[in-house]
Amino acid sequence: MTASGAFLPIWHLDRGRGLFVGPLTYNAPHAHSVPVYLAGLYEAFGLRVAGGAWIRCRTAVVPAGVSYELDVGGSPIAVLYLEPNEAGAHALAPLVRGACDERGALIGDDGEIALLRDLYETSSGAGAVGDALDSLIAFSKPRAKRPLDGRVARAVVLLSERAQDAMPAADVARSVGLSSSRFQHLFAEEVGVPFRRFRVWQRLRAAIGEIVAGSTFTEAAHAAGFADQAHFARQFRLTFGAPASPSLRKVRRAS
């Protein structure tokens, strides 16, 4: 395989979604700031939610803030991250089939996999992710619960647009007309994780986007507001349960 060919990892990030498709081995316990949809492209994978028992499944939805552990064994998996301004975990639930509840996560023995597998197997797949994600979640929108609180929604956009800035909660709260304490309570209630954790998530998204675009790890870390590459590496491992290099060292570019 060449660097532009099929079967190399894909990272895609836009304002509302993020997608990783590629092989993973083991991810230690970690929790994301947004809900995720997991899909084993060719076989079931091991999943442990919130310290419970290991389960073999083909698909799963894990809400924001819920800790989970992955054992994929080097097989390809798709991980779809849905930003709170796009929708909540409920919008991912229809992607899982044969679902049962496991400590707040949805575990399935089947689901929407074929489209994600096609992206992985097609050499031009990196350039088709946006359209594929539109197709995947389009039918979920009518099922959406109440929208995100407008003040929190504006804060999420602000954090996304200024990910490199270490914006204090008080400043963001003031920009949406709330006291700092009320804002932080409302933010955690609406998004599912505290403000500070979500701010780190946005900086990680920014750094990943820089690397996918061709920046070095050091350049990406500085552009996203991290002190240095080591700081970025620590936060990546904490957030994803694995080091950054395996999933980011060789990624496909959109043609």
Side-chain angles (χ1 to χ4, degrees):
M1 314 287 172
T2 66
S4 61
F7 302 106
L8 287 177
I10 295 173
W11 265 107
H12 171 89
L13 297 163
D14 59 34
R15 174 162 288 185
R17 298 84 55 98
L19 179 71
F20 169 79
V21 187
L24 293 177
T25 51
Y26 169 75
N27 289 58
H30 59 289
H32 289 296
S33 296
V34 296
V36 298
Y37 171 65
L38 308 167
L41 297 190
Y42 302 105
E43 59 187 355
F45 55 90
L47 178 68
R48 181 157 67 174
V49 182
W54 279 101
I55 296 171
R56 296 288 295 176
C57 60
R58 192 67 187 274
T59 59
V61 171
V62 184
V66 174
S67 175
Y68 70 101
E69 194 172 350
L70 274 177
D71 186 357
V72 190
S75 296
I77 189 171
V79 187
L80 169 59
Y81 307 87
L82 201 61
E83 294 295 307
N85 275 10
E86 183 80 17
H90 55 277
L92 296 173
L95 303 179
V96 179
R97 297 198 193 105
C100 63
D101 182 88
E102 172 65 22
R103 297 176 178 242
L106 282 180
I107 310 297
D109 55 15
D110 199 0
E112 296 298 327
I113 298 169
L115 189 58
L116 297 166
R117 186 171 56 230
D118 288 346
L119 290 174
Y120 183 62
E121 293 178 348
T122 305
S123 60
S124 59
V129 175
D131 289 341
L133 295 186
D134 287 345
S135 297
L136 268 183
I137 66 174
F139 72 97
S140 299
K141 287 302 184 71
R143 296 168 172 79
K145 297 179 182 177
R146 68 173 181 81
L148 197 67
D149 181 280
R151 295 161 294 185
V152 174
R154 293 198 300 275
V156 167
V157 170
L158 182 61
L159 290 171
S160 174
E161 292 176 344
R162 298 178 58 184
Q164 74 279 8
D165 298 336
M167 298 183 66
D171 289 355
V172 181
R174 192 177 305 112
S175 75
V176 298
L178 292 171
S179 69
S180 180
S181 59
R182 173 58 183 151
F183 168 72
Q184 292 192 68
H185 176 81
L186 181 64
F187 189 95
E189 182 178 73
E190 290 281 305
V191 176
V193 295
F195 169 83
R196 290 184 65 182
R197 184 189 294 186
F198 189 81
R199 185 176 61 187
V200 171
W201 168 251
Q202 293 301 316
R203 295 170 83 177
L204 283 169
R205 274 177 52 93
I208 292 168
E210 292 284 339
I211 294 169
V212 171
S215 296
T216 67
F217 279 40
T218 297
E219 291 168 343
H222 288 152
F226 291 102
D228 50 32
Q229 180 181 338
H231 185 201
F232 162 69
R234 286 194 301 273
Q235 290 296 341
F236 190 100
R237 184 183 284 272
L238 284 171
T239 300
F240 293 92
S245 292
S247 67
L248 280 168
R249 186 63 68 185
K250 292 183 179 180
V251 293
R252 256 185 277 183
R253 313 286 184 207
S255 56

